[in-house]
Structure formats: structure tokens, C-alpha cells
Amino acid sequence: MSARGAPIWIALYATNKWEVSKAMLTRAERAGCLAVAVTVDRNGGRNQETLFRLQRTDTRDCATCHDRSSLQATYQRRPMYDGVDLSGLDNILSSALTWDSIKRIRDTTKMKVVIKGLLAHEDATEAVKAGVDAIIVSNHGARSEDGGRSTIDALPEMVDAVGGNLPVLVDSGFRRGTDIVKALCLGASGVCVGRPYIWGLGAFGQPGVERVLELLRVELAAAMQQVGAPAVKRLVPALVRRA
């Protein structure tokens, strides 16, 4: 918090061990986090075909730098897992999240609770019933399942399902200001930026991140002018049409 100089969120990958999630929630709340974003779109793992192909040609031995004998050994050097008992787990992801899990998280923390990874309107309706504070329509950037539904396609029905009872954010595949305009027209409260800022960070560090965000702002403003919207609140469904 002190380094950021502003409120921050924590992204929670809830494991199959409640004590781990509780420790993370308690630590984040104590540190002053404003919200916890619970990732729910990675329950089944993923098939990283490109990674597996490249591993055959990479002769480096990861064991020379990383102890991967157990999950505890892999993560124990990361500050966020300091003092957290990961014994008995073979993955930091949860394969058994339910709506009761979300309610348990809701009852455990005073932070805002955001669910990230919903694509079905039925889940959006359940999120409202569970008392969460917002949802993020996300397919994890298609990194979990590349044959799944696009978020821009799911967005309208998700907005309808929550009925204005909570904010609906969206991510996955938003690369240009025109993409952001489309999402805002379709009812999104905001658009989350994933890979673009990482690309900027990897190439040029902090200036790269700042430049990526600047480009998105400039493109957003230009796209708004093109559709005749003088303010974000004037971005309405009538301004977009399905191809």
C-alpha cells in the first residue's frame, strides 16, 4: 500500500484448503487492500500446448534455480506465502469452488468481494444473491480454454442479469480504445487491462506501462468522438451493432 500510494486489490486463487484462503484474506485486509478478486475460471487447469512443445527443445534444468519438490518448496520464497502452510496441496488453484465458498469469503472479510471469471447469466444472478460487490466477465484471456465464449459476446446478458445491482467489469482481448468503447456501450462499468500493460512492462518497464495506458486513453477518446459521444455516460447500446 505504501509503495503504491493508493488503494489496491488482491487477486485470490482460493486453494482446496480453506486455511490458506483465510490467511491470504486476513493479511490483505490488514495491509489495507480495498477489494479481493476471487478467480473462478481456472478450476480445471489448462492445456498449455505451446509450452509443452517448447519444453522439448529447452535443455535448461529448472532445478538448478528452483526447488519444485513440493508446492510448499515452490512458493515458500514468495513473500505473499510467507508463514502460510501449503502442506497437503499440489496446486494453488481450487478444483471445488461453490457458491458456499464465495459466501464464506464474503463472511470472512470486510474487503469488497469481486468474482472474476463469470460468463453465464445464471452465475451473474447467483453473484447478486451471494452478496458480492462486483463481477468481472472474463475467460482468463483464453488461457484456460481457447474454445470458450468471448467476453464481449457474454457481456450484454451479464449486465441484464445483475439488473444494476452491482458493477460489471470485463476483460480478455481488449487491446484498443475501440474495444473499450464497445464494452462500455454494451453496459460494462469498466474494462480491465491485462496483457497490454505486461507487454509494456516487459519492453520498457514503468514508462512502457504508462505509454500503453496513454495509448488506450487516446484511442478511447478518439473512438468516442467518432461515435459522437461527448462523455462516457453517453456510450449506449445503440452506438454499436453486431457484425
Side-chain angles (χ1 to χ4, degrees), residues 35-52:
V36 52
V38 186
T39 301
V40 300
D41 57 5
R42 287 280 285 103
N43 291 356
R46 60 179 180 238
N47 184 13
Q48 298 172 288
E49 295 179 352
T50 301
L51 172 63
F52 297 150

Side-chain angles (χ1 to χ4, degrees), residues 107-189:
D107 293 340
T108 299
T109 182
K110 295 179 181 178
M111 293 185 290
K112 301 292 185 181
V113 176
V114 181
I115 302 181
K116 174 183 177 291
L118 300 185
L119 287 170
H121 65 85
E122 294 90 345
D123 284 332
T125 300
E126 289 298 323
V128 175
K129 294 178 182 178
V132 303
D133 298 286
I135 63 173
I136 302 177
V137 182
S138 174
N139 62 20
H140 215 89
R143 294 173 65 231
S144 297
E145 170 51 59
D146 60 7
R149 190 178 188 187
S150 71
T151 56
I152 196 70
D153 178 61
L155 180 60
E157 69 181 56
M158 304 294 278
V159 172
D160 288 343
V162 303
N165 289 298
L166 49 79
V168 178
L169 307 176
V170 65
D171 72 15
S172 303
F174 291 84
R175 305 289 183 260
R176 305 295 298 270
T178 48
D179 299 331
I180 297 173
V181 162
K182 293 170 188 176
L184 296 178
C185 284
L186 293 174
S189 306

Side-chain angles (χ1 to χ4, degrees), residues 17 71-72 85-91:
K17 189 175 181 180
L71 195 70
Q72 187 75 41
D85 182 13
L86 298 175
S87 61
L89 294 174
D90 57 12
N91 202 308

Side-chain angles (χ1 to χ4, degrees), residues 204 206-216 218:
F204 302 107
Q206 181 172 328
V209 176
E210 294 172 352
R211 179 58 173 156
V212 166
L213 296 178
E214 179 187 7
L215 286 170
L216 289 175
V218 170

